[in-house]
Amino acid sequence: MFNRETYIARRKKLKEMISDGIILLPGNVDSPMNYADNTYYFRQDSSFLYFFGLDFQKLAAVIDTQSGEEILFGDDVDMEDIIWMGPQISLKEKAEKVGISKTGPYKGLKETIEKAISTGRKIHFLPPYRAENKLLLNELLGISVSKLKAYSSLELIKAIVALRSVKEDQEVAEIRKACAVGYQMHVAAMKMAQAGVWEQSIAGTIEGIANAGGGMVSFPVILSQNGETLHNHDHSKTLQNGRLLLVDAGAEVGSHYASDFTRTVPVGGKFSPKQREIYEIVLAANNRGRELTKPGSTYLSVHLAAAEVIASGLKAIGLMKGDVKEAVANGAHALFMPHGLGHMLGLDVHDMEDLGQIYVGYDDEIRPVNQFGTAYLRMGRKLRPGFVITNEPGIYFIPALIEKWKAEKINADFINFDRLESYLDFGGIRLEDDILVTETACEIIGDRIPVTPEEIEAVMG
Ligand code: GLY
Ligand code: MN
């Protein structure tokens, strides 16, 4: 965790941004996997980590925006806990680490909230995503579980998005560590990508690298020769020469800052001319995206520019046709790239997605585009120094989607459907880097994972 002053300063800013009322921030609790004592790995809530830094189960905090009072609620361990878990630091010590002087037992939270409600104070809370916290808020606030999201505080959401979007130097340093672990994961995967190897053994190896890096994977590993399925978690196949292997994986380090990278490599280590042709287009789109990423530009415009690189590359090899700008304006490129160019990255791999993508990736100036493909863009708004985002263009040949568009003549003016027949077993290619928006431009965080065909063939050689 960072030093005490970091958390004090973050909470001070938050209090200044909220006009009135009580801010209620529950941390996460353990979640049972198959019985109560056999839990999933504990993952603290990211906004709780941002303001309180305490990576422990069953804590909750209340901040009074008027008096400035902050209370940390939790329970000290008893002898039975000590026997099974070892000695734990006390609630008071935890609170001191983050500059909070007032603590109370977990059950005291209810009394504090009830008192605030009875005196007419507004309670600001975030939309909960865990069942346990939905039930907690339901009990504390008397709001039915299905209505909690609707009653969550837009003022609090917007304030937290504003604070967490611009990364402090110390946060970037943590993301850099996560990127270094991600680098190792991807190079290990490349080296293992030989014919006869089971996909799951590569997935397991790189998950182990993430764990050994001090944390865990930042999301379940996506790894498959069927890379045309965007989030393919089926690792059951054995690698075959002539196929591509897409690996989308990242780490989160002990502080929970994340990385998120994708590389696509030829099984056996040598691209066929056909694979390389498509690969070079995706790489050009990735490089163009990075070149255009700078403060003041919108990521929507960067997304569309990368889409133009894809459309013009596919036109050059005869898979698309017509005017490139018109094709992109009509969403024709989305047959091949039915997703957005990237998303924010930080304490969450899709940073702050729990708070609502519309508030994280869009604002009054830039609104989401309601068109297949671009509608999936999670980050469209104007870029600012300190933003950390992913740059992840791709080209996929999704047989069911191609069949549908062909049958329904969707964007038929821009697509040579007949030429696509020989690509139906191609798979997909995505190339993803993590980038920091600087004062004048942007930089790839950490060493760039081998990405040119030459670099990849050299690593796999
Ligand atoms: N890495 C998975 C995603 O960005 O959706
Ligand atoms: Mn990503």
Side-chain angles (χ1 to χ4, degrees):
M1 61 192 290
F2 302 125
N3 65 21
R4 173 190 327 235
E5 285 65 39
T6 294
Y7 301 104
I8 294 172
R10 288 174 179 178
R11 294 194 303 268
K12 182 168 181 287
K13 282 191 199 151
L14 181 65
K15 281 186 263 192
E16 287 164 2
M17 292 166 94
I18 304 293
S19 53
D20 187 21
I22 304 282
I23 300 168
L24 166 61
L25 286 168
N28 281 337
V29 297
D30 268 329
S31 229
M33 197 158 53
N34 47 350
Y35 54 92
D37 281 345
N38 200 28
T39 59
Y40 289 106
Y41 281 109
F42 175 66
R43 176 54 159 84
Q44 183 57 290
D45 173 73
S46 297
S47 289
F48 190 87
L49 280 174
Y50 186 81
F51 292 106
F52 301 96
L54 297 166
D55 197 3
F56 301 97
Q57 295 89 334
K58 212 170 175 194
L59 296 172
V62 162
I63 302 173
D64 186 325
T65 59
Q66 265 183 348
S67 69
E69 185 179 61
E70 301 167 332
I71 313 174
L72 181 70
F73 293 94
D75 294 323
D76 281 321
V77 293
D78 59 20
M79 184 51 71
E80 194 170 319
D81 294 323
I82 292 171
I83 291 167
W84 288 95
M85 300 156 57
Q88 310 289 316
I89 67 166
S90 70
L91 183 65
K92 270 271 167 242
E93 287 169 292
K94 287 173 188 162
E96 273 163 23
K97 278 180 185 292
V98 293
I100 295 180
S101 53
K102 194 160 180 197
T103 59
Y106 199 79
K107 64 175 170 27
L109 178 62
K110 190 166 168 59
E111 200 180 307
T112 299
I113 295 297
E114 277 173 357
K115 198 165 141 209
I117 292 171
S118 71
T119 53
R121 306 294 303 280
K122 177 171 173 56
I123 313 289
H124 298 271
F125 61 94
L126 298 173
Y129 53 90
R130 289 245 187 140
E132 292 87 348
N133 278 345
K134 290 182 185 183
L135 293 174
L136 174 73
L137 290 176
N138 165 256
E139 195 191 327
L140 293 175
L141 306 170
I143 300 172
S144 69
V145 164
S146 63
K147 296 220 164 60
L148 282 167
K149 190 170 175 212
Y151 282 97
S152 62
S153 166
L154 191 52
E155 196 181 356
L156 181 62
I157 290 170
K158 287 188 171 175
I160 293 182
V161 168
L163 291 172
R164 285 180 55 188
S165 293
V166 179
K167 270 60 181 180
E168 302 156 358
D169 289 348
Q170 59 185 353
E171 295 184 280
V172 175
E174 291 301 310
I175 296 172
R176 206 173 288 283
K177 289 180 200 163
C179 289
V181 180
Y183 184 104
Q184 291 176 34
M185 292 162 71
H186 279 273
V187 169
M190 286 176 190
K191 290 187 171 160
M192 286 181 77
Q194 300 296 330
V197 175
W198 188 30
E199 290 170 339
Q200 180 61 37
S201 71
I202 308 177
T205 299
I206 66 175
E207 183 148 355
I209 293 171
N211 292 351
M216 58 184 189
V217 286
S218 50
F219 58 94
V221 169
I222 295 164
L223 183 152
S224 176
Q225 291 170 112
N226 288 102
E228 76 280 8
T229 300
L230 301 183
H231 281 181
N232 202 334
H233 300 294
D234 174 3
H235 314 138
S236 63
K237 310 280 187 326
T238 299
L239 300 192
Q240 290 176 342
N241 280 328
R243 304 292 307 272
L244 291 164
L245 178 68
L246 184 149
V247 182
D248 182 348
E252 62 171 53
V253 282
S255 58
H256 297 290
Y257 285 87
S259 62
D260 180 10
F261 295 110
T262 310
R263 288 294 183 264
T264 309
V265 302
V267 173
K270 189 96 189 105
F271 286 95
S272 71
K274 186 175 175 182
Q275 289 170 339
R276 189 168 173 148
E277 206 167 50
I278 302 294
Y279 189 95
E280 296 278 14
I281 300 170
V282 180
L283 182 55
N286 173 299
N287 287 334
R288 186 85 186 117
R290 194 182 67 258
E291 283 157 17
L292 293 174
T293 296
K294 58 174 188 298
S297 299
T298 70
Y299 213 46
L300 174 60
S301 70
V302 181
H303 166 90
L304 293 173
E308 280 182 21
V309 173
I310 284 173
S312 89
L314 291 174
K315 180 179 168 181
I317 61 171
L319 299 185
M320 289 186 74
K321 59 186 176 183
D323 181 74
V324 166
K325 279 197 184 304
E326 221 181 298
V328 170
N330 281 279
H333 65 283
L335 175 62
F336 304 99
M337 184 176 132
H339 65 72
L341 187 63
H343 50 86
M344 281 218 177
L345 177 77
L347 278 165
D348 307 299
V349 64
H350 288 179
D351 210 23
M352 300 172 277
E353 196 159 291
D354 59 313
L355 305 186
Q357 206 53 57
I358 186 86
Y359 308 117
V360 179
Y362 292 89
D363 54 21
D364 293 342
E365 188 191 354
I366 303 293
R367 305 304 295 163
V369 175
N370 187 19
Q371 182 189 66
F372 176 72
T374 302
Y376 293 113
L377 178 63
R378 292 187 165 92
M379 173 71 197
R381 68 185 164 116
K382 202 176 267 178
L383 300 169
R384 290 180 53 194
F387 281 13
V388 174
I389 46 185
T390 66
N391 172 26
E392 49 179 308
I395 293 179
Y396 315 87
F397 296 90
I398 304 169
L401 188 62
I402 293 170
E403 218 171 277
K404 176 182 160 68
W405 279 38
K406 184 177 180 183
E408 295 176 21
K409 299 191 172 47
I410 298 172
N411 278 314
D413 290 345
F414 303 109
I415 291 158
N416 283 322
F417 286 106
D418 292 345
R419 301 283 288 272
L420 289 178
E421 291 298 321
S422 64
Y423 284 83
L424 295 179
D425 60 354
F426 184 95
I429 295 175
R430 177 163 67 252
L431 297 172
E432 177 177 22
D433 295 318
D434 299 340
I435 53 184
L436 168 69
V437 182
T438 61
E439 290 299 324
T440 52
C442 75
E443 64 180 50
I444 291 178
I445 304 179
D447 293 332
R448 195 178 195 190
I449 299 170
V451 72
T452 65
E454 294 75 20
E455 286 165 353
I456 285 173
E457 289 180 359
V459 170
M460 297 180 73

